[in-house]
Amino acid sequence: MRIFLDTANIAQIRSAAKMGVISGVTTNPSLISKEGHADYEAAVKEICSIVDGPISMEVTVEDAKGMVEDARKYAKWAPNVIIKIPCTAAGLEATSVLKKEGIGVNMTLCFSPNQGLLAALSGAAYCSPFVGRLDDVGHDGMQVVRDLVEIYRNYQMSTQVIAASIRHPLHCIAAAKAGAHIATVPYNILMQMIQHPLTDAGISRFLSDWKRLTQK
Ligand code: G3P
């Protein structure tokens, strides 16, 4: 499973990129707004220059024509821009147009296997089931990831599953065990994935033993 960073925070993206563990970034209007990127074009271009992989930028209109226009504009910003489009009838229509133009789509706000199947049929390169938001309303969000991995595999569909709305490190393990192609992870959760108290205790003991030997 590959890991994308789910943020529009440039410092966090630089930090994660240095570790060599992320291969893409997903943004959305809320994340860009949270960072106060009034010049969102410049921000997305900067992100595209930091990470050599798919960078998702979301459309902010609801009609198919407007989505296609937004997508064509964003796709010119950098070769690695991927267009995030919500899973609606208009979103599917826009995705099928963009597929023919060679513009990659990450179908977002996916909450059911049926939505994910339609995303793949419309030509989306990626589909993002929102695990945490489903869990929030009492559904098993990860089951949608499992179902989509199975459905895409059954029919050799090339659409990749991005486990999104990841809320804690256990979601990452479950997504990897489910066979998700990608999990898009907030920076704080990436940091939690690294942490282990036994690693810290082990370093501390090795260093103090070394000091005892070398400072005799
Ligand atoms: O990138 C979209 C998705 O990951 C949002 O997550 O935490 O707002 O449900 P969240």
Side-chain angles (χ1 to χ4, degrees):
M1 183 178 75
R2 288 180 288 145
I3 293 179
F4 288 0
L5 207 61
D6 196 24
T7 184
N9 182 295
I10 305 286
Q12 291 179 348
I13 293 166
R14 284 194 192 285
S15 161
K18 275 188 207 157
M19 289 186 275
V21 294
I22 60 160
S23 49
V25 173
T26 49
T27 71
N28 63 38
S30 303
L31 292 170
I32 290 178
S33 172
K34 184 177 157 203
E35 300 305 325
H37 292 310
D39 188 351
Y40 53 85
E41 178 176 344
V44 171
K45 283 179 173 169
E46 189 173 357
I47 296 168
C48 287
S49 73
I50 299 168
V51 178
D52 183 20
I55 311 300
S56 291
M57 170 68 193
E58 188 156 346
V59 298
T60 50
V61 290
E62 293 188 77
D63 63 300
K65 191 167 168 286
M67 288 175 180
V68 169
E69 282 166 8
D70 271 5
R72 286 176 181 150
K73 185 172 75 179
Y74 301 156
K76 290 196 180 89
W77 290 352
N80 50 336
V81 168
I82 292 288
I83 313 303
K84 242 183 174 182
I85 292 186
C87 191
T88 59
L92 292 167
E93 184 184 330
T95 301
S96 69
V97 171
L98 295 168
K99 167 73 177 171
K100 292 187 192 90
E101 297 181 14
I103 296 176
V105 168
N106 171 4
M107 187 136 275
T108 189
L109 291 167
C110 172
F111 295 97
S112 76
N114 275 332
Q115 286 182 313
L117 173 61
L118 294 172
L121 292 173
S122 74
Y126 303 92
C127 178
S128 293
F130 274 27
V131 175
R133 291 194 198 184
L134 276 166
D135 288 358
D136 289 344
V137 294
H139 290 262
D140 180 0
M142 201 56 71
Q143 189 56 44
V144 180
V145 173
R146 288 184 209 103
D147 288 344
L148 283 179
V149 168
E150 184 180 345
I151 290 165
Y152 293 169
R153 190 182 297 137
N154 282 349
Y155 299 101
Q156 289 89 47
M157 288 166 150
S158 60
T159 307
Q160 298 200 359
V161 178
I162 304 180
S165 188
I166 294 288
R167 297 283 166 75
H168 48 72
L170 286 176
H171 271 157
C172 299
I173 297 170
K177 288 173 77 172
H181 303 86
I182 299 146
T184 189
V185 177
Y187 184 78
N188 66 317
I189 293 169
L190 181 68
M191 291 299 117
Q192 288 172 6
M193 290 168 73
I194 301 169
Q195 289 298 322
H196 199 288
L198 291 177
T199 303
D200 297 340
I203 290 170
S204 181
R205 193 188 305 169
F206 285 151
L207 290 182
S208 66
D209 288 347
W210 196 247
K211 208 167 170 185
R212 202 173 313 120
L213 171 77
T214 56
Q215 291 186 351
K216 266 183 190 163

